[in-house]
Amino acid sequence: MPADVLDGWRELAAADPGGSWFTTPEWTLAWWETLGARQGSGEVVVWREPDGRVGAVVPLLRTRRRLHPRAPLTVPCLTVLGSGPGAADHCGVTAAPGRRAEVADWLARRARRATLLLTDLDAGQTPLLPPGAVEIGRTPCPRVDLTAGPDALGSRQFRADLRRYGRKLAAEGITFRWVAPAVGGGELAERFALLDTVLRLHRLRRAAVGRPTTFDAARAPLHVRLIERSAATGRGEGPAFLVAERDGEVAGVLYGFRWRDTFAYYQIGWDQAWAPLRLGTAVIAEAVRAAAGQGLTTFDFLRGTDPYKYRFDAVDREDVSWLVPHGLSGALLGLKYRAKEARQV
């Protein structure tokens, strides 16, 4: 893809009030190169302004979706490139204000020929939806406002608990450090090593509590490519880590994405031996502190309503999933999501 298109795409995403790391070319193209190509055919439609600037980018994937996890029957649909497997939140297309109506009309024309399954869209994408769009789900994504500073987050008791955890861990020799997004190829080796470590520790932690995970070796190529693509931009954005260490050995790693004024917390792994001293909670608290210390204004916990997130005063931001049905595939997918909704009532 031409460098000027990539630059324009980044600028559009950064200027969009509802934009996210998951609407950037780094995420979208890394996802396509590692996960998406096995799932269907992709296209990235670009609108240019008269002066050559990029006015809108719509990345789509023509794929098939199962009607039931345990049944082989699939139906065709169009979805946003970069959504679905890999756990992207706040998805959507990217368009300058003056192009949004044109993009909406274009999507409406596509919807006359194919079912659109648009999952986990940022709520601000609603005006771009074609007529007939049906809401099929909402995903809470708790986030923390950092503008008051990390020492103002949570209840007085929770802040006291964090200080106590910190003192006990410090007495055991645990230290914390932030590893910023790589800038240039010379900084990649440490990030790759930390990615391997967080994958390993996360797997062991989940196994210890008897819970499966999709953040495993099959997902590693996506995150390797994210690190590479982000470093090549030289912007200091993308994959970052908060590392807990003792005597040079890594005890825990939190992994996420720094972008614009936000840090999006993606996954964590830590040595189960430190569970009595609440290392997992301490690592998250140190990541919140590090993000605030860099002047970031939002710590995004992404999807999931785990109770610990709200102890940091997180407030839900909801992503919305939509179906624009067409023909038999649309009818069958509509039945699937209506049945899912009925089971949840």
Side-chain angles (χ1 to χ4, degrees):
M1 183 172 290
D4 67 321
V5 172
L6 294 175
D7 289 340
W9 187 348
R10 292 187 197 101
E11 291 172 6
L12 283 175
D16 186 345
S20 79
W21 163 254
F22 301 102
T23 63
T24 66
E26 280 62 59
W27 172 272
T28 305
L29 297 180
W31 186 93
W32 167 249
E33 293 162 351
T34 57
L35 299 179
R38 300 194 299 269
Q39 299 191 35
S41 58
E43 61 179 287
V44 179
V45 182
V46 179
W47 281 257
R48 286 187 182 268
E49 305 298 347
D51 61 3
R53 290 181 299 112
V54 175
V57 179
V58 179
L60 293 176
L61 176 72
R62 183 176 293 277
T63 187
R64 300 186 70 89
R65 287 286 185 259
R66 283 194 173 205
L67 293 176
H68 192 279
R70 294 189 294 274
L73 182 61
T74 63
V75 294
C77 63
L78 274 175
T79 190
V80 175
L81 193 67
S83 64
D89 295 315
H90 322 320
C91 300
V93 305
T94 308
R99 287 284 184 176
R100 291 175 71 84
E102 186 176 347
V103 170
D105 288 343
W106 185 87
L107 282 171
R109 291 195 297 274
R110 293 301 301 268
R112 297 189 195 112
R113 305 193 303 274
T115 292
L116 302 186
L117 180 62
L118 308 174
T119 58
D120 300 305
L121 296 193
D122 174 77
Q125 297 278 318
T126 302
L128 293 171
L129 293 171
V134 179
E135 182 180 318
I136 57 173
R138 288 179 174 258
T139 305
C141 298
R143 50 177 35 205
V144 175
D145 182 349
L146 299 176
T147 54
D151 295 328
L153 297 176
S155 67
R156 179 180 299 179
Q157 182 60 56
F158 181 55
R159 295 196 298 269
D161 289 344
L162 291 178
R163 290 192 294 270
R164 186 172 69 256
Y165 304 156
R167 288 193 299 268
K168 290 182 177 181
L169 289 166
E172 294 291 334
I174 293 287
T175 59
F176 301 91
R177 65 186 176 96
W178 172 263
V179 179
V183 179
E187 299 183 353
L188 297 182
E190 181 184 14
R191 276 73 176 179
F192 293 154
L194 287 173
L195 175 62
D196 288 342
T197 301
V198 72
L199 282 162
R200 176 177 59 83
L201 291 174
H202 177 77
R203 174 178 54 81
L204 293 173
R205 163 69 179 160
R206 300 288 281 198
V209 297
R211 297 177 64 184
T213 181
T214 59
F215 185 58
D216 55 19
R219 296 285 189 264
L222 165 64
H223 298 284
V224 167
R225 194 68 184 114
L226 287 171
I227 293 170
E228 293 171 339
R229 275 193 164 275
S230 299
T233 70
R235 297 166 64 93
E237 296 182 323
F241 303 85
L242 193 289
V243 185
E245 296 170 305
R246 185 192 189 203
D247 296 332
E249 295 291 326
V250 175
V253 185
L254 182 147
Y255 170 62
F257 310 112
R258 175 178 176 162
W259 182 76
R260 211 168 59 180
D261 60 356
T262 297
F263 179 74
Y265 159 35
Y266 191 80
Q267 271 299 358
I268 192 172
W270 47 277
D271 190 332
Q272 272 290 105
W274 295 100
L277 297 186
R278 306 293 181 89
L279 178 62
T281 301
V283 168
I284 296 169
E286 289 294 330
V288 170
R289 184 174 299 278
Q294 295 169 62
L296 305 184
T297 61
T298 301
F299 190 93
D300 191 344
F301 279 103
L302 299 177
R303 68 182 64 182
T305 55
D306 308 81
Y308 77 85
K309 299 179 181 181
Y310 301 99
R311 297 187 73 191
F312 288 92
D313 287 343
V315 176
D316 285 346
R317 160 183 172 169
E318 287 191 323
D319 285 350
V320 188
S321 295
W322 299 89
L323 177 69
V324 187
H326 173 81
L328 180 61
S329 66
L332 291 172
L333 285 170
L335 286 172
K336 170 185 175 177
Y337 287 103
R338 285 196 295 276
K340 181 179 178 181
E341 183 179 9
R343 289 194 300 270
Q344 293 173 343
V345 173

